[in-house]
Amino acid sequence: MHPFERPSRELTGRLRAGGALVVLTGAGISAESDLDTFRGAGGIWEGRSALEVATPEAFDADPLAVWRFYARRRKDAAAAKPNAGHLSLAEIEAARPDVLVVTQNVDGLHQRAGTKRWIELHGSLWRLRCVRCRKEWSDTRADLGTLPPKCACGGLVRPGVVWFGESLPTAAFAAAEEAARRASVFLVVGTSALVRPAADLAEIAQASGSWLVEVNPEETNLSAAADERLVGPAGRILPRLAEALRASAGDVA
Ligand code: BV8
Ligand code: ZN
């Protein structure tokens, strides 16, 4: 299987035949919106271990330090704009009945790009949860003011994200797994595919007959298993996929 920059006939053919498309996205799709990835050079985790800021133990030990890390990410995500990668996925979804975006990202950029059918496997920066009364709510303010925020019940509030060692939301993961089993094409965009069980969805999809396509400028530990690799940034590759699907649908390009 050679790395290409243009979608193969197998890929466009399956989608033209009305096959279900599931897209698993990671931090790489938001890189061109100037949001740092986790593990690349200059990545979010660089200079600190994820275990210092993205585990329940880290939060228990120093809620303020963890909140400072997430407050920074909220500000960056609020200032970020969806890029051509996010927008192309929303365009593909608008033209087809059966598209689902399953994201590991917590930045909310898919929703801001117009994607309607999405699953957030790792929660969202824009959800908060009280550690005492367990209430969970949405809060889209870029700046929360005093940190750490407090619930009306007086309890400490934490970011509504899934930390390492915490289970993924059961219903969300079950729905993602079900969609992976049904997918005719499973597109993996901008993820190092290291974090599990999210990364397992690719194997589940391929084992159920999906055509597994990776969109990434780098090799990952999924690259060898992929049926097709589209090598390049999502902001360049995904508009090409949208264009190939428009052309094949007979639209005037
Ligand atoms: C759990 C929080 C267990 C929010 C995150 C086996 C099974 C289950 C669990 C495990 C397992 N083995 C190990 C585990 C534990 C752990 C895990 O996977 N560890 C790994 C690191 C070894 N998993 C967990 O703890 C999970 N929980 O399973 O609990 C359990 C079971 C039962 C009962 C109780 C407990 C929870 C995992 C979720 C952790 N939370 N984030 C936040 O702060 O964001 S994970 C974190 O990594 C982010 O959410 C991120 O989405 C995720 C994955 O990172 P990527 O998105 O892939 O980003 P990365 O930087 O790594 O890669 C970027 C890629 O983009 C690169 O490939 C790059 O080349 C590419 N790129 C760059 N530019 C572009 C581009 N691509 C396209 N275009 C570009 N322009
Ligand atoms: Zn509370």
Side-chain angles (χ1 to χ4, degrees):
M1 183 272 308
H2 299 287
F4 286 96
E5 284 208 351
R6 291 204 170 284
S8 69
R9 241 193 278 283
E10 177 67 28
L11 170 48
T12 47
R14 281 177 177 239
L15 293 181
R16 219 178 302 153
L21 170 64
V22 175
V23 190
L24 174 68
T25 64
I29 197 168
S30 296
E32 291 156 274
S33 299
D34 297 330
L35 290 182
D36 290 338
T37 59
F38 291 89
R39 296 170 182 84
I44 287 180
W45 302 140
E46 208 178 8
R48 68 164 77 113
S49 131
L51 303 186
E52 282 164 38
V53 284
T55 61
E57 295 73 21
F59 184 71
D60 293 346
D62 189 346
L64 189 55
V66 172
W67 258 115
R68 284 210 185 102
F69 170 67
Y70 280 94
R72 170 80 264 145
R73 292 189 50 208
R74 287 170 69 96
K75 281 201 181 103
D76 294 346
K81 299 252 170 313
N83 64 59
H86 300 105
L87 295 168
S88 299
L89 290 182
E91 182 198 325
I92 292 171
E93 178 195 43
R96 311 173 49 75
D98 206 346
V99 177
L100 174 69
V101 170
V102 177
T103 190
Q104 300 172 85
N105 298 340
V106 294
D107 56 34
L109 287 180
H110 284 298
Q111 294 89 330
R112 283 174 51 200
T115 285
K116 301 272 176 291
R117 296 185 66 233
W118 47 266
I119 290 176
E120 288 177 327
L121 292 178
H122 295 160
S124 169
L125 287 172
W126 311 115
R127 306 262 326 142
L128 302 180
R129 189 183 331 134
C130 172
V131 295
R132 179 189 290 176
C133 69
R134 321 287 304 156
K135 206 169 74 157
E136 176 154 326
W137 63 95
S138 126
D139 181 318
T140 53
R141 286 174 296 165
D143 183 349
L144 285 170
T146 357
L147 295 176
K150 284 270 193 298
C151 174
C153 80
L156 198 51
V157 169
R158 59 164 283 177
V161 299
V162 179
W163 281 325
F164 287 101
E166 293 185 320
S167 318
L168 275 58
T170 327
F173 190 71
E177 207 173 344
E178 162 60 25
R181 287 192 205 291
R182 289 181 42 253
S184 173
V185 172
F186 193 86
L187 200 60
V188 183
V189 183
T191 182
S192 56
L194 289 173
V195 173
R196 300 173 66 192
D200 298 339
L201 293 169
E203 259 158 73
I204 292 167
Q206 193 174 43
S208 318
S210 301
W211 183 251
L212 180 61
V213 183
E214 181 180 49
V215 176
N216 200 315
E218 313 286 332
E219 284 222 8
T220 71
N221 67 349
L222 207 59
S223 304
D227 297 304
E228 179 172 353
R229 282 184 60 212
L230 296 172
V231 181
R236 184 170 79 220
I237 300 287
L238 293 179
R240 287 200 177 141
L241 177 59
E243 179 202 327
L245 293 177
R246 257 199 318 273
S248 68
D251 292 3
V252 176

